[in-house]
């Protein structure tokens, strides 16, 4: 079963407001910004939206070296926590849990890391790599998973050069190929935003006592 027309229409509507990366090494920071802003829009919490500079600072972004998720989720905790949200990162997520996150209305869309093989196999992308030509893992935002395909948004699409036979930037892959590139680096890196667990009165009192 391929991605249906309703899913494609919903996808086009939502990604129309997404920011594309303007530098080759900002896929992670743009992906994070987009999923936070999308969550803010869906839940009508404008103050939850985050600007790109804030995300770059949180991810220790440096031109040509790219960004790192190592400071996360702590680096964005002060922005997310007042709104009742927390960032989660998992490097061993299974396929069924990824699909569950996609379906949870209260969660953001998940950001996943694909191996450099994805960009090298995507016709229409010219990949130069980072500093000294090193291969940088690429991040995309997952929208839909069905029996046969995965639909995703690639922040890199403004760098797409249509091949002679036409076409557009990749936004769908067979599940087998997508999962292959998700796991090729021996880890399944995934980031998403979800509501913070509700604290009991006792837990709140203990936290205040520690302060």
């Amino acid at each position: 079963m391929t991605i249906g027309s309703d899913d494609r229409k919903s996808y086009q509507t939502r990604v129309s407001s997404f920011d594309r990366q303007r530098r080759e090494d900002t896929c992670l920071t743009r992906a994070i910004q987009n999923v936070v802003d999308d969550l803010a829009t869906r839940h009508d919490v404008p103050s939850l939206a985050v600007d790109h500079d804030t995300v770059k600072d949180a991810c220790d972004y440096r031109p040509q070296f790219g960004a790192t998720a190592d400071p996360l989720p702590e680096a964005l905790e002060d922005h997310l926590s007042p709104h009742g949200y927390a960032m989660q990162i998992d490097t061993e997520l299974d396929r069924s849990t990824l699909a569950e996150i996609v379906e949870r209305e209260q969660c953001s869309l998940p950001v996943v890391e694909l191996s450099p093989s994805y960009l090298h196999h995507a016709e229409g992308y010219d990949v130069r790599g980072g500093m000294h030509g090193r291969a940088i893992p690429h991040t995309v935002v997952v929208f839909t998973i069905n029996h046969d395909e995965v639909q995703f948004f690639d922040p890199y699409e403004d760098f797409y050069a249509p091949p002679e036979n036409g076409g557009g930037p990749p936004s769908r892959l067979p599940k087998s190929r997508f999962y292959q590139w998700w796991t090729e680096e021996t880890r399944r890196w995934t980031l998403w935003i979800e509501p913070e667990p509700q604290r009991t009165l006792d837990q709140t009192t203990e936290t205040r006592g520690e302060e």
Side-chain angles (χ1 to χ4, degrees):
M1 180 190 303
T2 58
I3 300 296
S5 59
D6 288 344
D7 286 326
R8 290 196 296 271
K9 289 178 182 177
S10 174
Y11 169 84
Q12 292 296 339
T13 299
R14 290 173 70 176
V15 303
S16 64
S17 62
F18 276 26
D19 282 335
R20 278 67 174 167
Q21 61 190 93
R22 300 179 181 91
R23 298 181 60 99
E24 290 186 285
D25 56 3
T26 57
C27 61
L28 174 64
T29 54
R30 284 296 181 188
I32 293 173
Q33 177 197 10
N34 284 325
V35 299
V36 174
D37 289 357
D38 177 70
L39 185 66
T41 299
R42 284 191 287 121
H43 290 197
D44 195 22
V45 187
S47 57
L48 177 61
V50 64
D51 63 81
H52 191 226
D53 285 340
T54 297
V55 180
K56 287 196 296 185
D57 289 344
C59 295
D60 193 24
Y61 170 78
R62 291 181 293 163
Q64 294 186 302
F65 285 93
T68 175
D70 291 347
L72 301 174
E74 289 80 5
L76 281 176
E77 184 176 356
D78 288 346
H79 178 78
L80 298 173
S81 186
H83 298 91
Y85 289 96
M87 178 179 290
Q88 304 295 332
I89 296 177
D90 196 318
T91 59
E92 298 181 352
L93 202 73
D94 59 63
R95 299 176 185 184
S96 61
T97 303
L98 178 66
E100 290 172 6
I101 294 170
V102 171
E103 294 297 324
R104 291 179 195 162
E105 175 61 27
Q106 69 270 31
C107 292
S108 75
L109 294 165
V111 176
V112 305
E113 181 181 281
L114 301 181
S115 81
S117 298
Y118 157 70
L119 286 176
H120 287 291
H121 283 82
E123 186 178 6
Y125 280 147
D126 177 21
V127 185
R128 298 179 180 86
M131 181 63 77
H132 307 304
R134 66 190 177 93
I136 300 175
H138 191 62
T139 49
V140 301
V141 178
V142 180
F143 266 80
T144 310
I145 301 175
N146 70 11
H147 294 296
D148 299 319
E149 291 185 310
V150 177
Q151 185 174 43
F152 58 92
F153 170 75
D154 186 346
Y156 198 62
E157 65 177 28
D158 278 359
F159 288 87
Y160 181 79
E164 292 183 2
N165 60 355
S171 62
R172 289 184 289 166
L173 281 172
K175 281 176 70 172
S176 58
R177 179 57 62 88
F178 182 89
Y179 289 143
Q180 173 192 344
W181 285 332
W182 185 35
T183 62
E184 197 166 275
E185 297 300 303
T186 70
R187 66 176 195 164
R188 295 182 294 276
W189 189 92
T190 310
L191 175 152
W192 70 99
I193 315 295
E194 66 181 20
E196 288 183 313
Q198 294 293 321
R199 289 184 174 183
T200 65
L201 180 60
D202 288 343
Q203 288 173 325
T204 304
T205 302
E206 288 176 3
T207 301
R208 289 175 177 172
E210 292 173 357
E211 296 173 351

PDB file of all heavy atoms in Angstrom, residues 142-161:
ATOM      1  N   VAL A 142       9.953  12.457   9.998  1.00  0.00           N
ATOM      2  CA  VAL A 142       9.034  11.401   9.559  1.00  0.00           C
ATOM      3  C   VAL A 142       7.585  11.855   9.727  1.00  0.00           C
ATOM      4  O   VAL A 142       7.198  12.330  10.802  1.00  0.00           O
ATOM      5  CB  VAL A 142       9.270  10.097  10.343  1.00  0.00           C
ATOM      6  CG1 VAL A 142       8.304   9.015   9.873  1.00  0.00           C
ATOM      7  CG2 VAL A 142      10.710   9.628  10.173  1.00  0.00           C
ATOM      8  N   PHE A 143       6.789  11.693   8.662  1.00  0.00           N
ATOM      9  CA  PHE A 143       5.384  12.108   8.673  1.00  0.00           C
ATOM     10  C   PHE A 143       4.417  10.937   8.748  1.00  0.00           C
ATOM     11  O   PHE A 143       3.456  10.958   9.505  1.00  0.00           O
ATOM     12  CB  PHE A 143       5.073  12.920   7.413  1.00  0.00           C
ATOM     13  CG  PHE A 143       5.211  14.392   7.586  1.00  0.00           C
ATOM     14  CD1 PHE A 143       6.463  14.980   7.541  1.00  0.00           C
ATOM     15  CD2 PHE A 143       4.112  15.202   7.797  1.00  0.00           C
ATOM     16  CE1 PHE A 143       6.609  16.343   7.703  1.00  0.00           C
ATOM     17  CE2 PHE A 143       4.242  16.568   7.963  1.00  0.00           C
ATOM     18  CZ  PHE A 143       5.499  17.145   7.912  1.00  0.00           C
ATOM     19  N   THR A 144       4.623   9.943   7.898  1.00  0.00           N
ATOM     20  CA  THR A 144       3.664   8.849   7.760  1.00  0.00           C
ATOM     21  C   THR A 144       4.410   7.541   7.558  1.00  0.00           C
ATOM     22  O   THR A 144       5.412   7.496   6.840  1.00  0.00           O
ATOM     23  CB  THR A 144       2.739   9.072   6.541  1.00  0.00           C
ATOM     24  OG1 THR A 144       2.204  10.389   6.575  1.00  0.00           O
ATOM     25  CG2 THR A 144       1.595   8.060   6.535  1.00  0.00           C
ATOM     26  N   ILE A 145       3.915   6.487   8.198  1.00  0.00           N
ATOM     27  CA  ILE A 145       4.436   5.140   7.984  1.00  0.00           C
ATOM     28  C   ILE A 145       3.249   4.222   7.724  1.00  0.00           C
ATOM     29  O   ILE A 145       2.329   4.151   8.537  1.00  0.00           O
ATOM     30  CB  ILE A 145       5.228   4.629   9.203  1.00  0.00           C
ATOM     31  CG1 ILE A 145       6.410   5.564   9.517  1.00  0.00           C
ATOM     32  CG2 ILE A 145       5.738   3.207   8.960  1.00  0.00           C
ATOM     33  CD1 ILE A 145       7.160   5.185  10.790  1.00  0.00           C
ATOM     34  N   ASN A 146       3.254   3.558   6.584  1.00  0.00           N
ATOM     35  CA  ASN A 146       2.203   2.570   6.352  1.00  0.00           C
ATOM     36  C   ASN A 146       2.846   1.213   6.069  1.00  0.00           C
ATOM     37  O   ASN A 146       4.008   0.996   6.400  1.00  0.00           O
ATOM     38  CB  ASN A 146       1.236   3.029   5.247  1.00  0.00           C
ATOM     39  CG  ASN A 146       1.871   3.030   3.865  1.00  0.00           C
ATOM     40  OD1 ASN A 146       2.970   2.516   3.663  1.00  0.00           O
ATOM     41  ND2 ASN A 146       1.163   3.608   2.901  1.00  0.00           N
ATOM     42  N   HIS A 147       2.098   0.314   5.463  1.00  0.00           N
ATOM     43  CA  HIS A 147       2.614  -1.047   5.286  1.00  0.00           C
ATOM     44  C   HIS A 147       3.822  -1.107   4.360  1.00  0.00           C
ATOM     45  O   HIS A 147       4.687  -1.982   4.509  1.00  0.00           O
ATOM     46  CB  HIS A 147       1.506  -1.960   4.745  1.00  0.00           C
ATOM     47  CG  HIS A 147       0.377  -2.158   5.700  1.00  0.00           C
ATOM     48  ND1 HIS A 147       0.532  -2.793   6.911  1.00  0.00           N
ATOM     49  CD2 HIS A 147      -0.931  -1.792   5.629  1.00  0.00           C
ATOM     50  CE1 HIS A 147      -0.623  -2.806   7.551  1.00  0.00           C
ATOM     51  NE2 HIS A 147      -1.522  -2.208   6.790  1.00  0.00           N
ATOM     52  N   ASP A 148       3.891  -0.190   3.394  1.00  0.00           N
ATOM     53  CA  ASP A 148       4.923  -0.292   2.365  1.00  0.00           C
ATOM     54  C   ASP A 148       5.907   0.868   2.322  1.00  0.00           C
ATOM     55  O   ASP A 148       7.033   0.704   1.865  1.00  0.00           O
ATOM     56  CB  ASP A 148       4.274  -0.401   0.974  1.00  0.00           C
ATOM     57  CG  ASP A 148       3.399  -1.626   0.853  1.00  0.00           C
ATOM     58  OD1 ASP A 148       3.811  -2.693   1.351  1.00  0.00           O
ATOM     59  OD2 ASP A 148       2.301  -1.517   0.287  1.00  0.00           O
ATOM     60  N   GLU A 149       5.486   2.063   2.765  1.00  0.00           N
ATOM     61  CA  GLU A 149       6.298   3.251   2.562  1.00  0.00           C
ATOM     62  C   GLU A 149       6.435   4.095   3.829  1.00  0.00           C
ATOM     63  O   GLU A 149       5.636   3.979   4.757  1.00  0.00           O
ATOM     64  CB  GLU A 149       5.688   4.139   1.475  1.00  0.00           C
ATOM     65  CG  GLU A 149       5.761   3.556   0.070  1.00  0.00           C
ATOM     66  CD  GLU A 149       5.253   4.547  -0.958  1.00  0.00           C
ATOM     67  OE1 GLU A 149       4.148   5.100  -0.755  1.00  0.00           O
ATOM     68  OE2 GLU A 149       5.963   4.774  -1.954  1.00  0.00           O
ATOM     69  N   VAL A 150       7.455   4.968   3.799  1.00  0.00           N
ATOM     70  CA  VAL A 150       7.644   5.994   4.823  1.00  0.00           C
ATOM     71  C   VAL A 150       7.661   7.339   4.110  1.00  0.00           C
ATOM     72  O   VAL A 150       8.374   7.524   3.120  1.00  0.00           O
ATOM     73  CB  VAL A 150       8.968   5.802   5.591  1.00  0.00           C
ATOM     74  CG1 VAL A 150       9.166   6.941   6.592  1.00  0.00           C
ATOM     75  CG2 VAL A 150       8.987   4.457   6.299  1.00  0.00           C
ATOM     76  N   GLN A 151       6.832   8.252   4.588  1.00  0.00           N
ATOM     77  CA  GLN A 151       6.806   9.605   4.035  1.00  0.00           C
ATOM     78  C   GLN A 151       7.543  10.528   5.000  1.00  0.00           C
ATOM     79  O   GLN A 151       7.322  10.477   6.208  1.00  0.00           O
ATOM     80  CB  GLN A 151       5.371  10.080   3.844  1.00  0.00           C
ATOM     81  CG  GLN A 151       5.244  11.436   3.151  1.00  0.00           C
ATOM     82  CD  GLN A 151       3.789  11.772   2.855  1.00  0.00           C
ATOM     83  OE1 GLN A 151       2.912  11.560   3.689  1.00  0.00           O
ATOM     84  NE2 GLN A 151       3.531  12.300   1.675  1.00  0.00           N
ATOM     85  N   PHE A 152       8.407  11.390   4.468  1.00  0.00           N
ATOM     86  CA  PHE A 152       9.242  12.223   5.337  1.00  0.00           C
ATOM     87  C   PHE A 152       9.512  13.564   4.670  1.00  0.00           C
ATOM     88  O   PHE A 152       9.353  13.730   3.450  1.00  0.00           O
ATOM     89  CB  PHE A 152      10.563  11.519   5.634  1.00  0.00           C
ATOM     90  CG  PHE A 152      11.363  11.182   4.403  1.00  0.00           C
ATOM     91  CD1 PHE A 152      12.317  12.056   3.903  1.00  0.00           C
ATOM     92  CD2 PHE A 152      11.137   9.990   3.722  1.00  0.00           C
ATOM     93  CE1 PHE A 152      13.031  11.746   2.745  1.00  0.00           C
ATOM     94  CE2 PHE A 152      11.853   9.670   2.570  1.00  0.00           C
ATOM     95  CZ  PHE A 152      12.801  10.556   2.080  1.00  0.00           C
ATOM     96  N   PHE A 153       9.929  14.535   5.480  1.00  0.00           N
ATOM     97  CA  PHE A 153      10.362  15.834   4.978  1.00  0.00           C
ATOM     98  C   PHE A 153      11.867  15.933   5.135  1.00  0.00           C
ATOM     99  O   PHE A 153      12.413  15.692   6.220  1.00  0.00           O
ATOM    100  CB  PHE A 153       9.701  16.972   5.749  1.00  0.00           C
ATOM    101  CG  PHE A 153      10.292  18.321   5.446  1.00  0.00           C
ATOM    102  CD1 PHE A 153       9.999  18.965   4.248  1.00  0.00           C
ATOM    103  CD2 PHE A 153      11.160  18.935   6.331  1.00  0.00           C
ATOM    104  CE1 PHE A 153      10.556  20.200   3.950  1.00  0.00           C
ATOM    105  CE2 PHE A 153      11.722  20.169   6.040  1.00  0.00           C
ATOM    106  CZ  PHE A 153      11.411  20.810   4.855  1.00  0.00           C
ATOM    107  N   ASP A 154      12.533  16.309   4.049  1.00  0.00           N
ATOM    108  CA  ASP A 154      13.983  16.471   4.052  1.00  0.00           C
ATOM    109  C   ASP A 154      14.309  17.955   4.002  1.00  0.00           C
ATOM    110  O   ASP A 154      14.040  18.611   2.991  1.00  0.00           O
ATOM    111  CB  ASP A 154      14.589  15.747   2.848  1.00  0.00           C
ATOM    112  CG  ASP A 154      16.108  15.742   2.874  1.00  0.00           C
ATOM    113  OD1 ASP A 154      16.691  16.507   3.664  1.00  0.00           O
ATOM    114  OD2 ASP A 154      16.709  14.963   2.116  1.00  0.00           O
ATOM    115  N   PRO A 155      14.886  18.537   5.070  1.00  0.00           N
ATOM    116  CA  PRO A 155      15.205  19.973   5.064  1.00  0.00           C
ATOM    117  C   PRO A 155      16.183  20.366   3.968  1.00  0.00           C
ATOM    118  O   PRO A 155      16.352  21.539   3.662  1.00  0.00           O
ATOM    119  CB  PRO A 155      15.830  20.206   6.452  1.00  0.00           C
ATOM    120  CG  PRO A 155      15.447  19.028   7.267  1.00  0.00           C
ATOM    121  CD  PRO A 155      15.280  17.887   6.330  1.00  0.00           C
ATOM    122  N   TYR A 156      16.817  19.369   3.357  1.00  0.00           N
ATOM    123  CA  TYR A 156      17.854  19.602   2.346  1.00  0.00           C
ATOM    124  C   TYR A 156      17.286  19.872   0.957  1.00  0.00           C
ATOM    125  O   TYR A 156      18.027  20.123   0.014  1.00  0.00           O
ATOM    126  CB  TYR A 156      18.749  18.350   2.294  1.00  0.00           C
ATOM    127  CG  TYR A 156      20.100  18.521   1.637  1.00  0.00           C
ATOM    128  CD1 TYR A 156      21.055  19.391   2.149  1.00  0.00           C
ATOM    129  CD2 TYR A 156      20.431  17.776   0.510  1.00  0.00           C
ATOM    130  CE1 TYR A 156      22.299  19.511   1.560  1.00  0.00           C
ATOM    131  CE2 TYR A 156      21.680  17.892  -0.098  1.00  0.00           C
ATOM    132  CZ  TYR A 156      22.609  18.767   0.431  1.00  0.00           C
ATOM    133  OH  TYR A 156      23.839  18.894  -0.158  1.00  0.00           O
ATOM    134  N   GLU A 157      15.955  19.870   0.817  1.00  0.00           N
ATOM    135  CA  GLU A 157      15.365  19.817  -0.518  1.00  0.00           C
ATOM    136  C   GLU A 157      15.667  21.041  -1.378  1.00  0.00           C
ATOM    137  O   GLU A 157      15.583  20.967  -2.603  1.00  0.00           O
ATOM    138  CB  GLU A 157      13.858  19.591  -0.449  1.00  0.00           C
ATOM    139  CG  GLU A 157      13.044  20.686   0.177  1.00  0.00           C
ATOM    140  CD  GLU A 157      11.551  20.391   0.114  1.00  0.00           C
ATOM    141  OE1 GLU A 157      11.167  19.204   0.094  1.00  0.00           O
ATOM    142  OE2 GLU A 157      10.780  21.342   0.072  1.00  0.00           O
ATOM    143  N   ASP A 158      16.023  22.192  -0.797  1.00  0.00           N
ATOM    144  CA  ASP A 158      16.374  23.344  -1.620  1.00  0.00           C
ATOM    145  C   ASP A 158      17.691  23.144  -2.359  1.00  0.00           C
ATOM    146  O   ASP A 158      18.030  23.913  -3.261  1.00  0.00           O
ATOM    147  CB  ASP A 158      16.449  24.614  -0.767  1.00  0.00           C
ATOM    148  CG  ASP A 158      15.084  25.233  -0.535  1.00  0.00           C
ATOM    149  OD1 ASP A 158      14.090  24.675  -1.047  1.00  0.00           O
ATOM    150  OD2 ASP A 158      14.998  26.258   0.165  1.00  0.00           O
ATOM    151  N   PHE A 159      18.459  22.122  -1.985  1.00  0.00           N
ATOM    152  CA  PHE A 159      19.703  21.808  -2.680  1.00  0.00           C
ATOM    153  C   PHE A 159      19.473  20.783  -3.794  1.00  0.00           C
ATOM    154  O   PHE A 159      20.426  20.329  -4.420  1.00  0.00           O
ATOM    155  CB  PHE A 159      20.745  21.247  -1.700  1.00  0.00           C
ATOM    156  CG  PHE A 159      21.298  22.285  -0.765  1.00  0.00           C
ATOM    157  CD1 PHE A 159      20.657  22.571   0.432  1.00  0.00           C
ATOM    158  CD2 PHE A 159      22.457  22.980  -1.067  1.00  0.00           C
ATOM    159  CE1 PHE A 159      21.160  23.529   1.304  1.00  0.00           C
ATOM    160  CE2 PHE A 159      22.968  23.939  -0.213  1.00  0.00           C
ATOM    161  CZ  PHE A 159      22.316  24.218   0.980  1.00  0.00           C
ATOM    162  N   TYR A 160      18.213  20.438  -4.000  1.00  0.00           N
ATOM    163  CA  TYR A 160      17.882  19.424  -4.997  1.00  0.00           C
ATOM    164  C   TYR A 160      17.998  19.988  -6.409  1.00  0.00           C
ATOM    165  O   TYR A 160      17.472  21.069  -6.704  1.00  0.00           O
ATOM    166  CB  TYR A 160      16.466  18.908  -4.759  1.00  0.00           C
ATOM    167  CG  TYR A 160      16.013  17.839  -5.714  1.00  0.00           C
ATOM    168  CD1 TYR A 160      16.415  16.523  -5.549  1.00  0.00           C
ATOM    169  CD2 TYR A 160      15.181  18.148  -6.790  1.00  0.00           C
ATOM    170  CE1 TYR A 160      15.995  15.532  -6.423  1.00  0.00           C
ATOM    171  CE2 TYR A 160      14.759  17.168  -7.661  1.00  0.00           C
ATOM    172  CZ  TYR A 160      15.164  15.862  -7.475  1.00  0.00           C
ATOM    173  OH  TYR A 160      14.758  14.893  -8.344  1.00  0.00           O
ATOM    174  N   ALA A 161      18.684  19.279  -7.297  1.00  0.00           N
ATOM    175  CA  ALA A 161      18.787  19.646  -8.708  1.00  0.00           C
ATOM    176  C   ALA A 161      18.080  18.568  -9.519  1.00  0.00           C
ATOM    177  O   ALA A 161      18.559  17.429  -9.583  1.00  0.00           O
ATOM    178  CB  ALA A 161      20.246  19.758  -9.138  1.00  0.00           C
TER     179      ALA A 161
END
